[in-house]
Amino acid sequence: MLQEIAAAIHREDYRAAAQLLKPLLKTRKDDLWVQFYVGRVQEGMGKRNAAEQLYLKLLPQTSNPKLMAQIRQGIQRIEQQYNHDQETAIADAVKTPTGQQTAVLILEPIVPAGIQDGMGAGAAATDHKKMAEYKKLAAQAFGKVFNLDAYSARLQLPSRGWRLYRSGPLGELDYYVQALRQVNVPSFAIALAQIAQLKVFTIHYFKTLLPQPQVRCVNTKGQAGMLRFDWSAVTGRVMGRIPLFESVVTLDAKRRLQRKTQTQDYVPFCDLHLPSEGCILRLAERSYEFNQGIALVPETRSPIERDTVSQSWLYLMEQLAEPLQTVPIYAEFDPFANTVIDWRELLGGIEHHISLERRQPSLWDGAFHLYSGLAYWRSQM
């Protein structure tokens, strides 16, 4: 009977092979050869995922050299077919009108449904176990899409914040987004041209806050003017801090002078997204004119608080929080920046519209603008 099944598979008559297998699945269902031919029929009928899972399950169970060789050949055939299908699909996607635009692929945090914050110790332990298992399965699926081993794939999947994983043609990255979506790995791709087209207005101060905000701002050409908008038009608020570095001279262990770079300070930024105007309204602690426009720190606070820029900034953020309480906040710039700061060529090509007094340019400016631009377009998807 097995020879007849093998002959049917050889002539690619998979329906006949399936019929011949039916009685054997009742009388010899534990026979590894029978199970193997089930996989061959699944493979031949296009059910490659099921066949691959069955092959992988059977491989460690057998010591028969002939069966082991055929199982390995089946796994290899499926991998080759998958790679061929992937290459064909990517080539077709890149041929689309926007497919060749340079884009970035962003991985989002892996969080299975049902996990909640603020739970008890027992529930937290259960959630941790669920999270570990979920991420293990996600890493296996991710590794298959990108041809990575499970360990390397697991290191790439973020548990918090976004991770910039790859840059390349938009068509290719869109293909990967669709492939990852099918295996429940959240991601998205954005063309850098979309971020470049955003207008940026730097707010110097709020003239009015309620009921309708009016701001004094400058555009990227340095032209100043007044802008009115509705709070309801704001779709996102991005919070982040950009570090300022300085070069210092210190003594090493052998009391020799050495020069190194260290963080001097952090400058808070806040971007407001206005898709109706195709723009970003940008606030920065260093450029906001706290002595102009609306009163920020009430008289009930101490003179020290009223005279401190950092306190004034915090109070400004408090005032913005009230009309924007239902607007999504993107406040995980730090973990994102840690994944992107080494992409020097990519960040160096981003026109970030950030002006901070420093001795030399910093890639952190481009990283923040990229993060804000990604958040802008992600909310539109």
Side-chain angles (χ1 to χ4, degrees):
M1 182 70 76
L2 290 179
Q3 291 180 349
E4 294 178 22
I5 295 171
I9 291 174
H10 180 71
R11 64 177 183 268
E12 299 185 358
D13 189 352
Y14 300 109
R15 291 186 180 277
Q19 290 298 320
L20 292 170
L21 276 168
K22 283 184 178 180
L24 295 182
L25 288 174
K26 295 179 181 179
T27 60
R28 298 168 56 183
K29 64 178 182 179
D30 295 329
D31 189 307
L32 296 183
W33 276 104
V34 172
Q35 291 296 316
F36 166 71
Y37 283 124
V38 169
R40 284 292 285 116
V41 170
Q42 291 174 331
E43 180 188 347
M45 299 182 74
K47 301 177 181 179
R48 292 197 294 268
N49 287 337
E52 183 180 34
Q53 292 303 314
L54 182 54
Y55 290 155
L56 293 172
K57 178 182 177 182
L58 293 176
L59 191 58
Q61 297 181 30
T62 183
S63 58
N64 185 312
K66 184 177 179 180
L67 180 55
M68 290 176 64
Q70 292 206 39
I71 292 174
R72 288 195 176 101
Q73 289 172 10
I75 295 173
Q76 185 177 20
R77 280 193 306 271
I78 291 174
E79 289 179 347
Q80 289 174 344
Q81 187 61 51
Y82 176 81
N83 291 336
H84 176 267
D85 292 347
Q86 186 182 68
E87 291 172 1
T88 301
I90 289 174
D92 291 341
V94 172
K95 292 177 184 177
T96 61
T98 60
Q100 297 185 28
Q101 292 184 353
T102 301
V104 290
L105 173 64
I106 305 298
L107 302 178
E108 298 180 292
I110 300 292
V111 180
I115 288 186
Q116 301 178 6
D117 295 329
M119 303 182 70
T126 301
D127 278 354
H128 180 75
K129 183 177 180 180
K130 181 178 179 182
M131 180 66 189
E133 181 61 25
Y134 189 87
K135 192 167 184 179
K136 177 181 177 181
L137 296 175
Q140 292 173 350
F142 180 82
K144 184 175 181 180
V145 172
F146 288 102
N147 195 26
L148 297 173
D149 63 85
Y151 178 76
S152 298
R154 189 178 181 86
L155 294 178
Q156 299 300 324
L157 297 178
S159 298
R160 172 175 172 254
W162 293 342
R163 174 186 290 274
L164 193 158
Y165 179 68
R166 177 173 291 193
S167 66
L170 179 61
E172 176 183 349
L173 301 189
D174 276 340
Y175 165 82
Y176 286 127
V177 169
Q178 295 300 321
L180 293 174
R181 186 173 298 164
Q182 293 177 11
V183 293
N184 299 317
V185 176
S187 64
F188 63 95
I190 300 293
L192 295 180
Q194 289 181 263
I195 297 176
Q197 74 185 40
L198 295 174
K199 296 177 290 185
V200 178
F201 296 96
T202 300
I203 296 177
H204 280 180
Y205 62 86
F206 278 88
K207 184 177 181 181
T208 60
L209 202 63
L210 296 171
Q212 185 183 55
Q214 183 178 8
V215 297
R216 179 73 173 181
C217 59
V218 297
N219 62 16
T220 55
K221 297 180 180 179
Q223 298 168 328
M226 303 297 296
L227 176 67
R228 289 180 182 270
F229 61 95
D230 293 321
W231 288 118
S232 60
V234 180
T235 61
R237 178 162 47 127
V238 177
M239 309 291 292
R241 300 187 310 161
I242 295 180
L244 294 179
F245 302 101
E246 65 176 1
S247 180
V248 298
V249 177
T250 61
L251 295 176
D252 62 14
K254 296 182 178 180
R255 303 192 63 78
R256 294 176 301 188
L257 293 177
Q258 63 175 5
R259 184 175 297 276
K260 65 178 183 178
T261 301
Q262 66 180 23
T263 303
Q264 178 188 27
D265 198 2
Y266 290 90
V267 181
F269 278 76
C270 173
D271 278 6
L272 306 179
H273 295 161
L274 265 70
S276 60
E277 302 294 333
C279 74
I280 292 174
L281 300 181
R282 177 162 293 161
L283 297 105
E285 185 192 72
R286 291 291 179 97
S287 60
Y288 192 89
E289 299 175 7
F290 294 101
N291 59 338
Q292 300 289 332
I294 61 171
L296 292 175
V297 184
E299 293 296 328
T300 55
R301 299 198 179 187
S302 69
I304 295 178
E305 288 181 312
R306 292 199 299 269
D307 293 339
T308 303
V309 170
S310 60
Q311 288 294 336
S312 296
W313 174 262
L314 291 176
Y315 190 64
L316 173 61
M317 293 299 102
E318 290 176 7
Q319 293 206 49
L320 296 183
E322 179 63 26
L324 296 174
Q325 55 184 313
T326 61
V327 174
I329 299 177
Y330 300 87
E332 294 188 324
F333 169 62
D334 283 352
F336 171 77
N338 289 330
T339 73
V340 75
I341 204 65
D342 290 331
W343 294 66
R344 303 184 66 86
E345 185 174 350
L346 186 148
L347 293 179
I350 293 177
E351 192 173 0
H352 48 73
H353 311 297
I354 291 175
S355 178
L356 291 173
E357 291 186 7
R358 49 162 68 99
R359 294 184 178 181
Q360 56 185 2
S362 172
L363 296 177
W364 284 83
D365 298 349
F368 181 80
H369 186 68
L370 176 61
Y371 180 66
S372 185
L374 291 171
Y376 179 102
W377 289 112
R378 183 69 179 98
S379 67
Q380 308 301 305
M381 293 180 172

